[in-house]
Every structure is written in C-alpha cells, then in structure tokens.
C-alpha cells in the first residue's frame, strides 16, 4: 500500500512540475508551465489570434454566400 501511494505521488509531482509540450505554428516546441503567468499569457495570446482569424474567415464565407444568393442588401 505504501509503495503504491509513494509511486503515485511521485508520478503526480513529475506531471505537475514538468509542464506541457506545445507545438507552435513555427514548428518550434514551447514549454507551457502552468505555474508561470507569462507562459499562460503567451498561450492566451496565441489562441486569441487563431480564434480571431477563424471567425474572420467564417464571416467572409457567410458574406460571400449572402452576396451570391442576393439576400444581402
């Protein structure tokens, strides 16, 4: 029982302290540390840019479809 507890605590501490690996568009690996505010801000900024780009592309598709169907005045 003691061995199971110690091994699970060791595994959990390794996972929490190591951070996560993330691929950026430049194919460069960047470590995301969940305890670092600057890392979290960088991740937020990257995600926000991707979301804005996707929304803009979808809006352009919708506007084009409306123009083609002549429903947009």
């Amino acid at each position: 029982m003691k061995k199971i507890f110690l091994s699970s605590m060791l595994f959990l501490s390794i996972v929490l302290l190591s951070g996560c690996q993330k691929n950026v568009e430049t194919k460069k690996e960047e470590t995301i540390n969940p305890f670092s505010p600057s890392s979290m801000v960088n991740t937020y900024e990257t995600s926000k840019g991707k979301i804005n780009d996707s929304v803009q592309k979808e809006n352009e598709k919708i506007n084009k479809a409306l123009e083609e169907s002549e429903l947009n005045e």
Side-chain angles (χ1 to χ4, degrees), residues 1 4 10 13 15 20 24-25 27 35 39 42 44 52 55 67 71:
M1 182 73 176
I4 294 172
L10 177 64
S13 63
V15 169
C20 304
V24 182
E25 286 182 3
K27 303 295 180 191
F35 301 111
S39 176
N42 290 340
Y44 171 74
N52 288 339
V55 168
E67 288 174 1
L71 293 176

Side-chain angles (χ1 to χ4, degrees), residues 16-69:
L16 287 176
L17 296 177
S18 67
C20 304
Q21 291 293 323
K22 174 185 161 187
N23 288 329
V24 182
E25 286 182 3
T26 60
K27 303 295 180 191
K28 175 183 167 189
E29 289 190 8
E30 178 183 331
T31 302
I32 299 173
N33 186 353
F35 301 111
S36 169
S38 63
S39 176
M40 297 172 82
V41 168
N42 290 340
T43 303
Y44 171 74
E45 291 297 326
T46 302
S47 299
K48 186 171 78 170
K50 289 180 181 179
I51 291 171
N52 288 339
D53 290 342
S54 297
V55 168
Q56 184 178 4
K57 287 179 184 177
E58 286 300 314
N59 284 342
E60 289 172 0
K61 287 180 185 178
I62 291 171
N63 288 337
K64 185 177 179 181
L66 287 172
E67 288 174 1
E68 289 176 357
S69 66

